[in-house]
Amino acid sequence: MDYFKKLLELLKIEREEDRQSYLKLTESTSVSERRANGIAWYPIAIRGSEMSRGDYLTVEVERTTHQDVSHQLRFGMPAVLFSNHEPKKDRVEGTITHQSGNRLKITLRTDELPEWSRDGKLGIDLLFDDNSYDEMQSALKNASYLEENTGEGRLMKILTGEKEPTFKTDVPYYIAPQLNESQQSAINKILSANELAIVHGPPGTGKTTTLVEAIKALIKQDKKQILVVAPSNTAVDLLSEKLSDQGLNVLRVGNPARVSERLMSLTLDSKMAGHASMKEIKNLKKQANEFKNMAHKYKRSFGKAERDQRKALFDEAHRIMKDVGKAEQYIIDDLVSKAQVITATLVGANHYTVRNLSFNTVVIDEAGQALEPACWIPILKAQKVVLAGDHCQLSPTIKSNEAAKKGLATTLLEKCISLHPESVVLLQEQYRMNAAIMGYSSSVFYEDKLKAHTSVANHLLFANDAPLVFIDTAGCGFDEKLEGTSSTNPEEASFLFKHLSMLISEVESRSNDNAGSNGTENFPSIAIISPYKQQIHILKDQLTHIPALHKYGEKISVNTIDSFQGQERDVVYISMVRSNSDGEIGFLADIRRMNVAMTRARKKLVVIGDSATLSGLPFYSDFITYAENLNAYQSAWEFADM
């Protein structure tokens, strides 16, 4: 059918665009540039090696300098070990099988370390990630084949809009006293659905709590294993931890991003290490390595007898590793079959441990940020799908504008919400924001259906403070500047810090009045966010020059909007940056991103921007009107003396 053929076409465009931008980043760049771009570790030291599945060699390496540089090296990604002596020739490809802190393990497609690894400086370069694209492409091809050639694909026909979902009518109503009405309603929708249920969770509405309770209820109802997936490792980690806290047997497939003891204990490696049969495997591996070491003692120039002996030793090592493989597979099968919940990323749902499994129910969290082709990897293993997320917040990152325009930017969550409203439950009570902060977002994105829970509806930073402020810089001469391809506004940034310093003085004087102490424990958490990366650099730089704020160190964070999705702070400042006579607002027109920005604050939201520039878009002119009606509008001129 055309549905999957079109998706395959879009995926091809995206893959090509991604590959080209990757090549641009790597082909003509030095190792230090690649390191700065987060796609290389250099220099590294080898800390150990061992034989692994399929006679490959797994090497543990550590980066020895530049340890604070952020990077994109993650579990499952293809990478290459190279020597900077002759990087084009001295290289071995492999896959990152573990990454934690400044160490990673890479399984190389070789059974011994090359000679060149003993001299010269070594590094790890990330390769273009064909694997993820291959998995997505393969899933779409399978879906297309199933749809054309089998009568089975009922779930598929529902998700593509050809059929309507059905619901059981005889399921007893599930009551969870700790949850609110819309949360319970979502759980009951999930329990009664035969093929599809959707949990639409706006900011702060307890989507994760609802999902965890629903998964517990499903296991009670069906007594069957559930696959729980999300696009990012961070989202998978959060769910894995919460599900495990509820006493469920969770197996986390893949490599967690958050390195907590709690999470590590849920991984396959950790569970295997604790398995009763592991001792025997360790002894076998040790034997295999001893045979290999003996074989390596033979030098290159030797006669037939030595050659035969060397070959015999290698053969024996290989034979033992085959036994190791079988024993490991036995343990893996045992652990997988005992798990009540298996958690993974979307692409990780095809990890070799679970590749051939099928599930009654698959839960896809953060579905609003999931690329549709990636969703089909776990969906093909399911009879029933639960989608959870919010299509009114950030959408997936797409490299190709052409693919995005032709439909790749529209998520499966969005499609299903419009196709099957009967499957959707909107979570309506939020536990994060003061009602004034919530109000505008609720009216624009959620049909005014959001309610602030009584515990947060009126909470403030201090008595009589204003929870929402829009500060208008129009006419102040704070003109934007262009740095590279990113807009900046240094004067708006310094105004923001003046305002923040005033606010902090007020907080300090009140806490001194109340408690007589000047400790930072009860000091509110503050986020300063902006859509523009260069503005973030300017804000971070200016912050270093304000000594009075340094004592609050950890309490004040500065970053892009995207990095705050899913997070919250007591106070949020948004620097809008754009200020020009043409009313150009660039990607401020992405109102979903602004929805994320405006819904991070618990007690106070301060938006600083130029009304003359912003008002060209109804979203912003309506927001300014909303602020005026709440008496929350101020002109930056009012602060001229500060």
Side-chain angles (χ1 to χ4, degrees):
M1 170 201 163
D2 295 345
Y3 187 92
F4 292 106
K5 295 216 167 57
K6 184 184 174 194
L7 273 179
L8 275 163
E9 191 51 43
L10 296 178
L11 188 65
K12 192 173 159 192
I13 297 169
E14 173 70 1
R15 181 184 204 148
E16 199 40 47
E17 178 71 32
D18 199 359
R19 188 197 304 277
Q20 289 310 324
S21 59
Y22 174 81
L23 291 176
K24 213 181 281 173
L25 211 55
T26 54
E27 280 196 328
S28 54
T29 53
S30 67
V31 68
S32 52
E33 287 173 301
R34 296 199 301 278
R35 180 175 60 202
N37 282 324
I39 55 174
W41 277 15
Y42 180 82
I44 54 150
I46 291 178
R47 295 294 182 225
S49 66
E50 60 173 24
M51 292 172 76
S52 68
R53 298 171 71 83
D55 289 341
Y56 287 159
L57 186 72
T58 296
V59 181
E60 182 169 17
V61 308
E62 181 173 20
R63 56 174 174 172
T64 47
T65 66
H66 298 81
Q67 295 183 329
D68 53 344
V69 177
S70 66
H71 65 91
Q72 299 164 37
L73 283 71
R74 299 280 180 272
F75 167 82
M77 296 188 94
V80 60
L81 172 72
F82 67 89
S83 155
N84 212 32
H85 184 55
E86 283 201 54
K88 289 270 184 283
K89 184 166 78 70
D90 296 345
R91 48 193 284 124
V92 186
E93 293 190 4
T95 305
I96 297 171
T97 45
H98 191 85
Q99 189 270 312
S100 154
N102 286 303
R103 288 199 172 206
L104 65 76
K105 287 183 181 175
I106 177 169
T107 297
L108 300 171
R109 293 195 192 101
T110 176
D111 60 1
E112 53 184 317
L113 269 172
E115 289 291 324
W116 53 256
S117 66
R118 291 167 185 80
D119 49 42
K121 281 191 167 173
L122 302 178
I124 300 269
D125 259 334
L126 212 49
L127 294 173
F128 180 69
D129 187 8
D130 269 314
N131 175 49
S132 297
Y133 284 105
D134 287 345
E135 293 285 13
M136 289 190 267
Q137 185 180 313
S138 163
L140 293 177
K141 282 183 173 166
N142 286 343
S144 184
Y145 174 82
L146 285 170
E147 183 153 58
E148 282 175 18
N149 299 295
T150 70
E152 283 175 18
R154 176 164 176 75
L155 174 61
M156 221 179 289
K157 287 187 166 66
I158 288 165
L159 295 175
T160 56
E162 281 186 53
K163 285 198 161 138
E164 296 305 313
T166 62
F167 298 88
K168 301 181 194 76
T169 50
D170 55 350
V171 179
Y173 196 82
Y174 185 86
I175 294 171
Q178 75 279 24
L179 300 184
N180 66 44
E181 206 177 311
S182 60
Q183 290 171 331
Q184 290 191 51
S185 163
I187 292 174
N188 283 288
K189 180 70 77 179
I190 289 170
L191 291 174
S192 65
N194 288 317
E195 305 89 8
L196 175 67
I198 300 170
V199 181
H200 182 188
T205 53
K207 172 176 64 73
T208 306
T209 309
T210 308
L211 270 190
V212 168
E213 193 64 37
I215 290 163
K216 270 168 61 185
L218 276 169
I219 286 172
K220 223 177 193 166
Q221 181 192 55
D222 299 335
K223 311 276 186 296
K224 290 201 176 115
Q225 197 174 53
I226 293 178
L227 176 65
V228 177
V229 290
S232 71
N233 274 305
T234 317
V236 177
D237 291 349
L238 176 68
L239 272 167
S240 304
E241 232 164 356
K242 300 234 177 203
L243 288 162
S244 172
D245 288 344
Q246 291 293 319
L248 293 171
N249 181 345
V250 177
L251 176 63
R252 167 69 160 100
V253 170
N255 193 167
R258 305 222 312 272
V259 192
S260 69
E261 281 294 308
R262 184 99 193 89
L263 262 169
M264 283 305 165
S265 68
L266 305 177
T267 61
L268 190 64
D269 288 352
S270 164
K271 290 190 178 205
M272 283 180 79
H275 198 277
S277 315
M278 209 54 198
K279 207 170 177 183
E280 177 200 345
I281 287 181
K282 275 208 172 107
N283 290 334
L284 285 170
K285 276 191 174 172
K286 201 170 161 193
Q287 267 181 331
N289 276 319
E290 278 165 10
F291 281 120
K292 277 210 147 176
N293 291 336
M294 281 157 70
H296 285 310
K297 289 206 171 77
Y298 288 97
K299 293 288 169 255
R300 295 284 173 200
S301 51
F302 43 60
K304 182 179 183 321
E306 287 93 343
R307 248 199 317 273
D308 289 349
Q309 184 60 19
R310 186 175 197 253
K311 183 178 182 309
L313 289 166
F314 267 131
D315 286 349
E316 188 55 21
H318 287 170
R319 191 192 61 71
I320 294 171
M321 284 310 290
K322 277 209 170 96
D323 290 345
V324 167
K326 282 179 193 152
E328 284 186 338
Q329 197 55 54
Y330 164 76
I331 296 179
I332 289 167
D333 293 345
D334 186 45
L335 290 169
V336 167
S337 68
K338 288 196 171 96
Q340 293 170 293
V341 183
I342 291 176
T343 61
T345 57
L346 296 165
V347 175
N350 242 0
H351 190 263
Y352 71 90
T353 49
V354 292
R355 178 162 291 156
N356 301 318
L357 296 184
S358 54
F359 299 85
N360 196 42
T361 307
V362 167
V363 177
I364 303 181
D365 190 20
E366 297 297 355
Q369 282 186 277
L371 215 52
E372 181 176 352
C375 290
W376 286 97
I377 300 169
I379 288 170
L380 290 180
K381 301 173 185 296
Q383 290 171 18
K384 162 174 166 173
V385 172
V386 177
L387 298 175
D390 182 9
H391 56 296
C392 304
Q393 293 186 65
L394 291 179
S395 45
T397 307
I398 293 174
K399 305 270 189 343
S400 158
N401 287 335
E402 184 193 349
K405 283 199 182 85
K406 286 183 172 171
L408 196 60
T410 309
T411 59
L412 187 63
L413 177 72
E414 269 175 277
K415 290 178 184 175
C416 288
I417 284 178
S418 64
L419 286 170
H420 306 302
E422 69 278 27
S423 288
V424 185
V425 174
L426 173 74
L427 301 180
Q428 295 184 1
E429 196 160 14
Q430 65 84 17
Y431 297 82
R432 175 184 299 164
M433 300 162 267
N434 178 296
I437 299 172
M438 172 201 79
Y440 187 64
S441 171
S442 178
S443 73
V444 174
F445 296 100
Y446 309 109
E447 300 174 1
D448 251 336
K449 286 181 178 165
L450 286 195
K451 301 281 171 283
H453 185 259
T454 51
S455 61
V456 300
N458 302 306
H459 65 180
L460 299 168
L461 215 44
F462 46 78
N464 302 320
D465 185 39
L468 175 70
V469 187
F470 173 73
I471 301 176
D472 189 357
T473 63
C476 293
F478 296 176
D479 293 337
E480 65 181 73
K481 295 166 181 54
L482 196 63
E483 285 196 32
T485 55
S486 187
S487 299
T488 64
N489 198 323
E491 287 143 318
E492 183 178 282
S494 72
F495 174 82
L496 184 154
F497 281 118
K498 283 177 186 160
H499 191 277
L500 175 60
S501 300
M502 279 169 47
L503 180 70
I504 286 174
S505 302
E506 177 92 10
V507 170
E508 285 174 336
S509 70
R510 284 173 185 267
S511 67
N512 288 342
D513 293 348
N514 296 341
S517 80
N518 200 16
T520 60
E521 306 83 48
N522 300 323
F523 187 79
S525 57
I526 297 168
I528 299 165
I529 58 185
S530 176
Y532 292 96
K533 278 201 179 105
Q534 281 305 125
Q535 183 74 345
I536 295 300
H537 292 314
I538 286 174
L539 288 160
K540 282 182 174 171
D541 180 54
Q542 289 191 10
L543 182 57
T544 60
H545 297 104
I546 309 173
L549 300 184
H550 292 177
K551 64 178 172 184
Y552 296 116
E554 292 296 298
K555 293 281 191 174
I556 302 175
S557 39
V558 183
N559 220 324
T560 57
I561 294 170
D562 297 35
S563 65
F564 276 103
Q565 167 121 348
Q567 297 189 50
E568 53 188 69
R569 296 289 190 274
D570 293 321
V571 181
V572 172
Y573 275 79
I574 307 177
S575 168
M576 299 294 283
V577 178
R578 302 307 298 257
S579 176
N580 56 69
S581 51
D582 305 325
E584 288 282 332
I585 62 167
F587 83 145
L588 287 188
D590 180 356
I591 62 174
R592 289 182 187 182
R593 184 173 267 107
M594 285 319 295
N595 185 33
V596 172
M598 290 172 169
T599 53
R600 300 303 99 199
R602 296 186 197 111
K603 300 176 181 177
K604 189 177 185 77
L605 172 65
V606 182
V607 182
I608 301 173
D610 178 342
S611 65
T613 302
L614 296 174
S615 287
L617 196 72
F619 176 80
Y620 294 111
S621 56
D622 292 349
F623 172 69
I624 294 165
T625 307
Y626 174 80
E628 283 170 342
N629 291 339
L630 286 176
N631 213 10
Y633 172 93
Q634 290 181 292
S635 164
W637 287 104
E638 295 172 39
F639 302 92
D641 309 331
M642 72 179 189

